[in-house]
Amino acid sequence: MKKGISVAIVGGGIGGLAAALSLLRAGVDAHVYEQARTLGEVGAGIQISPNASRILHRLGLAEQLTATGVKPVALHQRRWDDGRTLLRAPLGELVEKTFGAPYYHLHRADLLDALASALPSQNLHLGHRLTTLVDHGDSTEATFENGTRIVSDAVVGADGIHSVVRRLAFGPEHPNFTGCAAYRGLVPAERLAHLNLETTAQIWMGPGKHFVHYFVRGRRLVNFVAVVEQDTWTRESWTDRGDVSDALAAFEGWHPQLSEILRASDETFIWALFDRKPMARWSVGRVTLLGDACHAMLPFMGQGAVQSIEDGANLAACLAGISSAQVDESLNRYERLRLPRASHLQSLSEENKRRFHLPDGPAQSERDEVMASGTTDWSLQAIAWLYAHDAELLSAPGE
């Protein structure tokens, strides 16, 4: 049997690890190179819709996800002041039956642990910070700060919004501050037992702000994200400490349930939301990108990590069974299949920023009427294009 090609993945986050598992499953010799000396994720929740959970189940992670995750029964969009329901879209058993895979709420660290535990230890290399990258035409050569030099058939940049691979392959560029910052935190569920919270993803929409909360880690924790608009920001970080009192002040006058959640939090972090405009291309020669390295998006569709998981599955399908001489062509095919979909989701996420934050008035009333009609992005009939997608299938116009 012919040995598969070799791929070096730079970045050991959710996208990089999922890509490595998909590539190994496809017979590709994939290795992950992560700059940190230990794998870690921020304490925050993540939503995994069926278009990604079907991939994770194929990778053998169903048992771990079921043990640590939560399957919400609905997505509940509500008005900021009185809590009135604007749209309640079913999830749970109906989504799983309709699309053949479940919808999960997870702690990001639990998902990362599940991915890392499935990856053979010899395929994960920690403490490797990329410094140079050379495409020799018939191979790639990557050098790391610790002196390691590796030669492979292809390099994949899964190294996030500050991607070194992107900079080395495409040149420098700067992210765009979206005018939003998010307070995020985790609250022990027993502190909020008196609220009788449903097992749903609740999105509260109001003038210039929105608030999201849902259970993670087997309903033991409540994850919240409180998004506010502001004019400027100087840092991109998930780990800047925020002040609970500032978050409470920002949501003063909103439904009391939200202040109850904030007051029950021991700490909060503030996270500026940055994005990048869709790229014209992701691949050059034997180098390509995935996840936030090429399509960083606002979290208002819950698809950032999900799309990186799709990227990895599609990349593996494109590279399965090929020879080294076919790498350039296969990476271009991956780009043709993935770039339009990811770019569309970037645009939808940007549009949701406007929709979520409308001031009370005619535009808000019109939005609410449309939501009540069941034709918006998260209603079941409108979301099929997203949830039913199977990234392992190599099909697109002209394919």
Side-chain angles (χ1 to χ4, degrees):
M1 181 177 176
K2 180 185 177 298
K3 183 178 181 295
I5 63 167
S6 60
V7 173
I9 300 170
V10 179
I14 288 169
L17 294 182
L21 291 173
S22 288
L23 286 162
L24 289 170
R25 180 169 170 263
V28 175
D29 182 25
H31 288 253
V32 175
Y33 298 87
E34 163 59 39
Q35 66 179 2
R37 295 192 178 279
T38 58
L39 289 180
E41 262 290 358
V42 297
I46 189 170
Q47 303 193 52
I48 298 295
S49 49
N51 43 314
S53 66
R54 67 168 49 87
I55 295 166
L56 297 174
H57 281 200
R58 288 171 186 162
L59 296 176
L61 303 183
E63 185 176 346
Q64 296 98 310
L65 299 186
T66 299
T68 61
V70 174
K71 295 180 179 180
V73 298
L75 187 145
H76 190 185
Q77 294 177 279
R78 307 180 70 175
R79 181 169 164 79
W80 65 280
D81 52 356
D82 59 10
R84 175 166 52 87
T85 295
L86 302 176
L87 175 69
R88 186 180 173 92
L91 296 173
E93 292 182 3
L94 180 58
V95 159
E96 190 164 355
K97 180 179 178 181
T98 302
F99 301 112
Y103 196 113
Y104 290 109
H105 288 156
L106 294 157
H107 192 297
R108 294 183 72 97
D110 292 339
L111 177 54
L112 191 76
D113 287 346
L115 292 164
S117 66
L119 186 68
S121 58
Q122 66 269 21
N123 291 76
L124 177 60
H125 310 272
L126 301 175
H128 283 66
R129 182 185 296 273
L130 183 69
T131 54
T132 62
L133 179 59
V134 179
D135 186 339
H136 292 294
D138 59 354
S139 65
T140 59
E141 180 180 340
T143 306
F144 299 88
E145 194 175 70
N146 61 10
T148 301
R149 183 183 69 88
I150 58 113
V151 176
S152 59
D153 291 303
V155 169
V156 177
D159 47 345
I161 196 167
H162 297 293
S163 173
V164 175
V165 175
R166 175 177 174 145
R167 175 174 57 80
L168 294 175
F170 293 93
E173 56 81 51
H174 301 286
N176 169 57
F177 177 54
T178 62
C180 290
Y183 294 92
R184 59 176 180 80
L186 294 163
V187 180
E190 65 266 18
R191 297 183 187 176
L192 302 173
H194 62 288
L195 296 178
N196 296 313
L197 297 176
E198 293 182 304
T199 308
T200 59
Q202 295 196 27
I203 303 177
W204 303 72
M205 298 186 293
K209 306 179 183 72
H210 76 279
F211 195 108
V212 180
H213 62 84
Y214 52 82
F215 288 104
V216 296
R217 195 161 280 176
R219 297 187 85 256
R220 296 191 299 277
L221 295 172
V222 174
N223 176 78
F224 71 83
V225 182
V227 179
V228 300
E229 293 183 4
Q230 63 181 64
D231 294 331
T232 60
W233 193 271
T234 57
R235 285 171 52 87
E236 276 182 274
S237 175
W238 279 66
T239 54
D240 288 340
R241 291 217 174 244
D243 192 317
V244 173
S245 63
D246 289 340
L248 283 165
F251 285 86
E252 185 178 358
W254 284 51
H255 194 280
Q257 178 171 299
L258 308 184
S259 57
E260 292 268 7
I261 292 172
L262 289 171
R263 288 195 184 95
S265 175
D266 292 325
E267 62 180 4
T268 185
F269 295 87
I270 189 165
W271 156 43
L273 301 183
F274 283 74
D275 66 4
R276 288 180 167 85
K277 298 304 178 186
M279 296 178 69
R281 57 181 309 191
W282 297 354
S283 303
V284 55
R286 291 173 172 265
V287 179
T288 196
L289 305 170
L290 67 75
D292 281 355
C294 53
H295 53 68
M297 62 186 71
L298 284 165
F300 302 163
M301 286 287 291
Q303 286 290 306
V306 166
Q307 289 305 299
S308 74
I309 294 168
E310 280 194 13
D311 289 343
N314 187 263
L315 179 65
C318 288
L319 296 181
I322 70 165
S323 67
S324 181
Q326 297 171 300
V327 166
D328 289 33
E329 174 189 347
S330 297
L331 294 184
N332 286 332
R333 186 184 195 195
Y334 156 72
E335 176 187 298
R336 291 196 309 272
L337 291 168
R338 291 297 304 155
L339 191 152
R341 179 172 167 86
S343 297
H344 181 50
L345 280 159
Q346 284 180 284
S347 298
L348 290 177
S349 299
E350 172 67 23
E351 171 61 15
N352 271 350
K353 172 192 169 185
R354 185 194 68 81
R355 288 181 57 242
F356 285 7
H357 294 178
L358 287 174
D360 285 349
Q364 164 263 323
S365 295
E366 181 181 356
R367 177 202 66 191
D368 295 353
E369 289 177 11
V370 172
M371 292 177 72
S373 73
T375 59
T376 55
D377 47 16
W378 274 302
S379 57
L380 197 61
Q381 62 267 41
I383 205 68
W385 70 273
L386 182 59
Y387 291 176
H389 183 74
D390 190 339
E392 290 188 358
L393 300 180
L394 300 181
S395 59
E399 289 290 328

